[in-house]
Amino acid sequence: MSAEYQVQGNLAVITLNNPPVNGLGHATRQAIVQGISRAQEDAAVTAIIITGAGKAFSGGADIKEFNSPKAFAEPSLHTVISVLEEAEKPVIAAIHSVCMGGGLELALGCHYRIASPGAQIALPEVKLGILPGAGGTQRLPRVVGLETALNMIVSGNPVSSEKLAQTALFNQIAEGDLMTAATAFANQVAAVRPLPKVRDIRIDYPNYEAFLQFSRNTVKAMSGPFPAPLACVEAVAAAVSKKFDDGIQFERELFLKLVQTTESKALRHAFFAERAASKLPDVPDDTPVRTIKSVAVVGAGTMGGGIAMNFANAGIPVRILEMKQEALDKGLATIRKNYENTLKKGKLTQEKFEQRVALISGTLDYQEIAQADIVIEAVFEDMSVKQQVFQQLDAVMKPGAILASNTSTLDVDQIAAFTQRPQDVIGTHFFSPANVMKLLEIVRGKLTAKDVLATVMALSKKIRKTGVVSGVCDGFIGNRMIEQYSRQAGYLLEEGCTPEQVDKAVEKLGFAMGPFRMGDLAGNDIGWYIRKRRYVEKPHIIYSKTADLLCEMGRFGQKTGAGWYDYKPGDRKPYPSTVVNEMIVKHSADIGVERRKISDQEITERLIYALVNEAAYILEEGIANRASDVDMVYLTGYGFPLHTGGPMFFADTVGLSNVVRAMEKYAKGRHGEAWKPAPLLAKLAAEGKTFN
């Protein structure tokens, strides 16, 4: 049932009922129009109330119908709003909980609006690279004023109903029961004529041109590669400068143009990819989950401390285990300092600060963490160290506790084999800084129980992470791919680039930072340690020696004040290093490579296509469930530019046959063996298909 129709005394009540957020799908739109017709024909009905069942008035468009013909089928939302506006009996929107997007546009088409306190009001379309397409940009400024409307539409962020109480958006903020208040209000206005329409309100804003020009400049500076925020300003400008119907037409044209942009397609792809990542074909939604009321973390270093903060932020108590008092004290002090900084910036109240700090405690004794529901190991990335920890955990942890490893590359199945309970072992690979980065790679061992997987997926949501499931392989999804990217970055140095040239090329595309700045931030010694292991385990893989030479100079990055770049005390800004650039040029000469000028296009293609090709192997092997999961890993964990939709979506946009053609060209250069297209990539390119 998409909407229910009831007559209560002299009032018709239409209740939207399309869980979870009463999305305005085709059936719901039809039911609203039918309900209004029935109420008009019933002589006993004097007014109509529209409200939403469950936990929302309406969250807007039905995402299940996105990209399908139903989304635009008649009655469209425009038609529904016209039907409400032209109704001959007053229509009152009774708003609670969530009123967003098309839901707010629907409410703006009603004659009156009454809301309960705390309802979240928003037009969030800009976050999908579009703008409100059913009159939102034209009607909202008429009721809340030009400035408030512009801020809401350009940011897409929700505002609570009581903050808008003094505006013409609401005729009343309900005290007590919403429907009781709406019924009383409906009876008050039942006989009032003419019926008020938002479209008839004039926007009064003296000197609006200057304000709009200022807004254009500000938004242009902030929106980067995304076209939607600026289009929102133009649409709102039309609400002031054009007649209502012309403004609606202008909004529609902008909407249809934005829907076709790569940037909007990329944002919509990311939106759906995030939802898809939590779905696993063989783990049904109703899989029972284990209760997680307490967490233990082994290791109080940067990673362990960051992991602990995630749980404290979600109100879950955490105990951190260390071997030495000094290390424990240092770790707890760092956590406290992090929270103090957030408090100073005004992003945390004193009360929240105290609550969070109080939820984190430390211990030197394994027995004191034995009753935790989940324990996450965050110790040094070395299998023998992991072995000691997991054998200890296996001995002390209560039955049913989940044993998780924060390993970034090691074999989770081997770690699970150190215990008598491999079904309870899982990988939870947090990204640094763990209290900031959104990605959580959830590594599923071959014996990991389904309820353990379902529990950790649910837990990732609770701590506001994007959980992506990976199978077991060296480096999982993200680090296995980044290795190919780093190898290409090293080859580019040998062939003619400097670190700053490579970094600038990808940063111009929108990356948060290039490979060499990223290395300096993470610590170049980490990669060195992994390469030393690779030289023994996989001697056939060729790396540029430049990174080893850098580490031999003791230049491990920001932590040592010198890496690929030079750093000044207390300054994280990278300064090009003459010493490093001379070392690179000398190395090229030593290996007999004549340096050449390399274009930005070659740099970005080689780095990104190396990621894409490795991901194609990962998909074929079943390590990742879907291409969009790979995109999610890169968007939320590696600073891949959001407006490109991730590496796989980027490759789809370029065209896979063009990607393969470029790879064939690079295969003729040095290290051509790295450019053999993965069978899946070659197959999709030949068939004219895409990853997503």
Side-chain angles (χ1 to χ4, degrees), residues 355-663:
Q355 272 172 0
R356 288 177 187 183
V357 170
L359 283 169
I360 300 174
S361 59
T363 181
L364 302 174
D365 183 0
Y366 270 95
Q367 286 301 334
E368 291 204 349
I369 63 166
Q371 293 307 308
D373 297 312
I374 182 171
V375 55
I376 300 168
E377 159 278 307
V379 299
F380 192 62
E381 189 71 340
D382 180 289
M383 195 55 99
S384 58
V385 181
K386 307 278 189 199
Q387 180 171 358
Q388 290 167 13
V389 171
F390 273 83
Q391 284 172 342
Q392 279 283 87
L393 292 175
D394 190 33
V396 302
M397 297 307 292
K398 69 178 184 186
I402 294 173
L403 314 185
S405 172
N406 178 53
T407 178
S408 54
T409 52
L410 299 177
D411 185 336
V412 171
D413 290 330
Q414 197 182 336
I415 292 171
F418 299 140
T419 74
Q420 301 297 307
R421 39 171 127 180
Q423 74 283 357
D424 292 338
V425 177
I426 193 166
T428 50
H429 177 210
F430 286 81
F431 282 68
S432 193
N435 50 314
V436 177
M437 296 299 278
K438 277 208 61 166
L439 178 63
L440 178 62
E441 252 183 338
I442 299 169
V443 187
R444 177 184 195 170
K446 63 173 182 281
L447 297 175
T448 303
K450 287 183 184 179
D451 68 329
V452 169
L453 195 57
T455 303
V456 174
M457 292 295 278
L459 195 57
S460 77
K461 274 204 180 88
K462 188 161 189 184
I463 60 171
R464 297 191 161 171
K465 298 287 180 207
T466 302
V468 179
V469 175
S470 167
V472 174
C473 66
D474 199 331
F476 316 128
I477 298 170
N479 282 345
R480 175 170 159 183
M481 286 166 62
I482 209 79
E483 186 167 5
Q484 302 310 321
Y485 171 91
S486 303
R487 279 174 71 203
Q488 286 302 323
Y491 298 157
L492 286 163
L493 293 185
E494 292 181 348
E495 291 168 39
C497 291
T498 59
E500 59 270 26
Q501 189 196 345
V502 175
D503 284 350
K504 280 204 172 103
V506 287
E507 285 162 16
K508 200 163 76 187
L509 195 72
F511 277 72
M513 54 178 70
F516 299 107
R517 280 180 62 200
M518 190 172 79
D520 277 0
L521 181 67
N524 295 310
D525 50 330
I526 296 171
W528 194 25
Y529 181 79
I530 292 170
R531 281 193 304 281
K532 285 176 183 171
R533 201 176 89 221
R534 291 277 192 279
Y535 296 148
V536 178
E537 292 171 6
K538 298 179 179 176
H540 61 283
I541 297 180
I542 302 162
Y543 295 88
S544 161
K545 282 280 183 283
T546 46
D548 293 357
L549 293 169
L550 183 83
C551 289
E552 283 164 20
M553 294 158 79
R555 298 179 69 103
F556 295 156
Q558 288 187 14
K559 60 185 171 190
T560 56
W564 292 105
Y565 296 92
D566 293 333
Y567 296 91
K568 295 173 183 171
D571 179 3
R572 284 177 172 262
K573 190 176 173 226
Y575 294 90
S577 166
T578 315
V579 180
V580 171
N581 291 345
E582 282 169 359
M583 174 271 283
I584 292 167
V585 171
K586 181 181 181 301
H587 177 64
S588 298
D590 290 347
I591 59 171
V593 172
E594 192 178 329
R595 293 176 71 78
R596 63 185 173 89
K597 195 172 183 340
I598 297 176
S599 70
D600 283 0
Q601 184 181 347
E602 180 176 339
I603 294 170
T604 53
E605 284 186 351
R606 282 174 63 177
L607 292 177
I608 294 172
Y609 297 170
L611 290 175
V612 170
N613 199 39
E614 191 62 28
Y617 285 113
I618 285 171
L619 286 167
E620 256 173 302
E621 292 164 26
I623 298 296
N625 287 304
R626 47 184 89 79
S628 63
D629 283 3
V630 173
D631 286 333
M632 229 47 237
V633 165
Y634 268 76
L635 291 172
T636 57
Y638 290 86
F640 206 92
L642 182 58
H643 70 277
T644 67
M648 311 313 271
F649 189 83
F650 180 89
D652 287 344
T653 306
V654 170
L656 300 189
S657 58
N658 294 329
V659 172
V660 169
R661 200 172 299 122
M663 289 173 69

Side-chain angles (χ1 to χ4, degrees), residues 227-259:
L230 210 50
C232 288
V233 179
E234 296 309 334
V236 171
V240 203
S241 59
K242 296 180 189 289
K243 288 182 177 153
F244 183 81
D245 289 328
D246 296 341
I248 287 280
Q249 183 61 34
F250 183 67
E251 174 193 86
R252 190 85 196 133
E253 286 162 11
L254 284 176
F255 174 84
L256 293 171
K257 205 185 287 178
L258 286 172
V259 165

